[in-house]
Structures are given as C-alpha cells and as structure tokens.
Amino acid sequence: MQKFFVPVAAGVVMCASIAFPAFGADLYEPPVVEYEPPAPAYGGWYLRGYLGMTNQRFKGLDYEYFGEPGVTQTWLDKGGFGSSSLFGGGVGYQVNHWLRGDLTVEYRGKSSFHALDRYEVAAPASWGTNDYRAKKSEWLVLANAYADLGNFRGISPYVGAGIGFSRNTISQFNDVNVVTGGGGYAGTDSEWNFAWALHAGLGYEITDRATIDLGYSFVYLGDGKTGQAHNYDPALTRPNDGFKFKDITSHDFKIGLRYKLQ
C-alpha cells in the first residue's frame, strides 16, 4: 500500500505544479499599447510634369483704324492660330482620396497666325488687301483644384478648375499688301492677363507613388497685342497702339506624370 501511495502522490504534485502556472497565466492581462504609425515625411505632397499640344482660337483682330470713315473692310479670312507645343510642371498636395490641388507653371510655344482682309477706299477710289502674319507664345501660371471621382482598378477620372495669369507675347507681326506693293510691321509686345481653365482627365497608377496623367484643358488666356505698327514707308505711319488679338482660348491635350513624395 505504501509503495503505491508514493508514486501517486508524486504524480499529483507534478500535475498541480503544471496546472497552477497555467491558471495563473490566464489571470494575467498584459497592458494594451496603442500603436500610432509615424506621420509621413511629406504629407500628401506630389510633383508633376507634363507636355502636350494646343488648339487655339480667338475672337478677332482689332486695330484702331479698322472701320474708319470712307473705308470699307471685309474679312476674307478672319484668321487663326496654328497648334503649338506646351510643357509644364508643378507641385501639389493630395488632401484625401477625393480632393487635391496644385500650382503649375507652363510654357506654350510659338504658334503661327494668319489672316486676310480686303479694303475699299471711297475717295480717291482704290482698294487693296492685307495679309497678316504673326507668332504668339505664352507663360501660364495657374492654381488648380481637382476632384478625383473614384478609383477603378487603378484608373481615376477627375475634373478640375484653375485660375491665374498668362503672359501673352505677340512677335514677328507683318502686314503685306500684294495689290499695292506696300504693307507694314509691328514690334514685339508682351502683357499679363487674367487666365482661367477647366480640366478633365484620367490618372492611371503604375506604382504606389507614380501616376500617368492623361488630361484635357480648356484655357482662357485673355488678349494679346503687338507693339506700335509701322508702315513700310515711314511717311505713311500714323500714331497707333498696335494690333490687338481679342479673347484667346485654347483646347489643350496633355500627358504627364504625378509622383507622390511619400
């Protein structure tokens, strides 16, 4: 009997030594430590760069001696601008998944201008034509805001708007009158105008940080003007404020890259 009791007692002691620590561990609740991820180094900042093409329009060419008494002017071709290249860049901030904004600076290359009119002078009776040629370029600075309309398998459509200023430069202005063998020219001039734009496009995420941006913008650039106009014959030059290109607008198509700094 005694020989049987000793092993049994030893077994009970061993089981108790194992059970009590396990039971004690169940009663211990470690403190909860709330983890706060470190703030991103750059917040929601991003850089962007892009290039594209312009498709420009304007409301008309104006000159203080158009429509003077005794002269009838008819536009055979009211004129237009050719396409030009553009490129720009900027810095922006992504507020959340739906809202972002950026500041962009853009150079818009020289586009060619041409127009043609016919005039008739009542007395002494005469007529002629004016073949106008010029170049135009701009620097455009805009503050923009965008609404991203969701993410569909990495594709994010967006709309936006911007306001700012455009420095419009008119250069190489010439007026050739083939009929009379005369004509004139005007000096280069630049001026700042209030500008605004409407945007739409698609962003495609190629990495966590990089997004290809395919965009369209309608841009209002204000007016452009030449320097003082001169006749090829200095004796025929009259005081004037140059030629004015009214209400220049453009349909722009762009491709670019946005890169997140976090």
Side-chain angles (χ1 to χ4, degrees):
M1 180 68 177
Q2 186 175 5
K3 294 179 179 180
F4 174 77
F5 176 76
V6 174
V8 171
V12 170
V13 172
M14 292 179 63
C15 292
S17 65
I18 295 173
F20 276 109
F23 180 71
D26 291 340
L27 295 178
Y28 175 72
E29 296 183 1
V32 177
V33 178
E34 295 184 359
Y35 173 74
E36 295 184 2
Y42 297 94
W45 293 100
Y46 65 87
L47 300 176
R48 65 172 299 192
Y50 58 90
L51 52 85
M53 294 295 294
T54 70
N55 185 13
Q56 304 178 74
R57 300 288 186 272
F58 80 129
K59 282 193 175 179
L61 186 64
D62 196 16
Y63 183 56
E64 58 194 279
Y65 295 112
F66 286 168
E68 62 181 319
V71 179
T72 301
Q73 181 195 27
T74 304
W75 286 103
L76 305 178
D77 180 355
K78 291 186 177 181
F81 293 98
S83 295
S84 69
S85 60
L86 65 85
F87 60 89
V91 59
Y93 190 83
Q94 184 84 42
V95 179
N96 52 44
H97 291 297
W98 307 100
L99 181 64
R100 59 186 170 88
D102 58 37
L103 178 67
T104 57
V105 179
E106 176 179 302
Y107 177 73
R108 306 163 63 86
K110 288 184 177 180
S111 61
S112 299
F113 171 81
H114 68 275
L116 179 66
D117 73 0
R118 183 181 189 277
Y119 66 88
E120 295 183 16
V121 179
S126 62
W127 68 279
T129 60
N130 293 291
D131 185 0
Y132 302 102
R133 305 279 173 165
K135 300 284 188 180
K136 179 181 68 65
S137 61
E138 301 92 21
W139 281 97
L140 179 64
V141 181
L142 290 176
N144 306 286
Y146 310 91
D148 291 316
L149 305 179
N151 190 307
F152 306 92
R153 297 185 178 181
I155 299 176
S156 299
Y158 66 84
V159 294
I163 58 172
F165 300 93
S166 178
R167 182 172 175 80
N168 304 330
T169 299
I170 305 295
S171 60
Q172 301 178 33
F173 185 91
N174 275 282
D175 166 16
V176 178
N177 188 325
V178 177
V179 176
T180 65
Y185 64 95
T188 298
D189 197 10
S190 301
E191 64 177 17
W192 287 97
N193 286 264
F194 172 74
W196 56 267
L198 300 176
H199 310 294
L202 296 172
Y204 178 67
E205 295 179 356
I206 54 177
T207 70
D208 291 341
R209 292 191 176 189
T211 299
I212 294 176
D213 191 318
L214 300 174
Y216 160 81
S217 298
F218 174 81
V219 186
Y220 175 80
L221 299 164
D223 300 329
K225 66 182 294 293
T226 71
Q228 183 180 5
H230 302 270
N231 196 285
Y232 289 153
D233 181 353
L236 300 178
T237 297
R238 295 181 287 180
N240 64 84
D241 293 325
F243 288 81
K244 182 178 180 180
F245 298 76
K246 299 184 295 183
D247 294 332
I248 303 167
T249 60
S250 183
H251 299 274
D252 298 343
F253 297 91
K254 298 171 284 187
I255 182 170
L257 182 71
R258 303 197 305 264
Y259 186 80
K260 298 178 183 177
L261 298 177
Q262 63 172 350

